[in-house]
Amino acid sequence: MPDTDSAAAPPAGARERLVSGPGLLLVWLYGVITVGAVSRSAYQISTEFDRAPLPYALSAVAALVYAFITYSLVRGGETARKAARICCAAELTGVLVVGTWTLVEPDAFPDATVWSDFGMGYLFIPVILPITGMLWLRRRRQG
């Protein structure tokens, strides 16, 4: 007779899925924001980089952070979860610093970037997403 318990148990070393349930929506949102950030930064860097190199470079960094978080969430496992949490914290820090900077010194950001004005051009998703991501990843660790 086949052992039914071993068929149901995941293999040793299997990664815990981080994208089940509401996490799937989180991955989808990170995927969409990744595409938006990559598109915007690629356009700005290729056409107007000399106007504002630092803000456009920060948009590219934001795109890389979003892509890495998306990858980490899809990959799963404890190491990926920890890396995603660290990147979410870095993302939130970036949004808060750049958002404040754009309010204090608006001339430094002649065009909107992903994190300028706390992500207003992206419906404030850049400031909401890392908080939601860190809460989700914390819950997944405890679950």
Side-chain angles (χ1 to χ4, degrees):
M1 268 176 101
D3 183 8
T4 56
D5 289 336
S6 65
R15 292 187 182 97
E16 174 195 359
R17 288 197 51 166
L18 297 174
V19 295
S20 60
L24 191 57
L25 176 61
L26 188 66
V27 168
W28 185 84
L29 286 171
Y30 264 111
V32 168
I33 198 94
T34 298
V35 170
V38 166
S39 301
R40 178 176 226 155
S41 65
Y43 175 78
Q44 289 174 325
I45 288 171
S46 65
T47 62
E48 304 169 334
F49 189 71
D50 57 328
R51 278 187 62 192
L54 181 61
Y56 298 156
L58 288 173
S59 276
V61 169
L64 291 174
V65 170
Y66 291 137
F68 183 79
I69 292 170
T70 304
Y71 168 77
S72 297
L73 290 171
V74 170
R75 179 174 174 158
E78 186 60 19
T79 303
R81 188 192 63 76
K82 287 178 182 178
R85 279 190 75 193
I86 291 168
C87 282
C88 283
E91 173 194 355
L92 181 60
T93 301
V95 172
L96 295 176
V97 167
V98 172
T100 302
W101 188 0
T102 58
L103 294 178
V104 172
E105 193 178 337
D107 292 339
F109 289 79
D111 294 327
T113 63
V114 178
W115 290 345
S116 61
D117 299 318
F118 304 101
M120 184 168 56
Y122 288 83
L123 305 174
F124 297 102
I125 292 173
V127 77
I128 296 168
L129 205 52
I131 296 167
T132 307
M134 287 187 292
L135 291 172
W136 172 254
L137 291 164
R138 181 177 179 203
R139 181 175 161 246
R140 294 305 297 171
R141 183 195 73 206
Q142 294 171 346

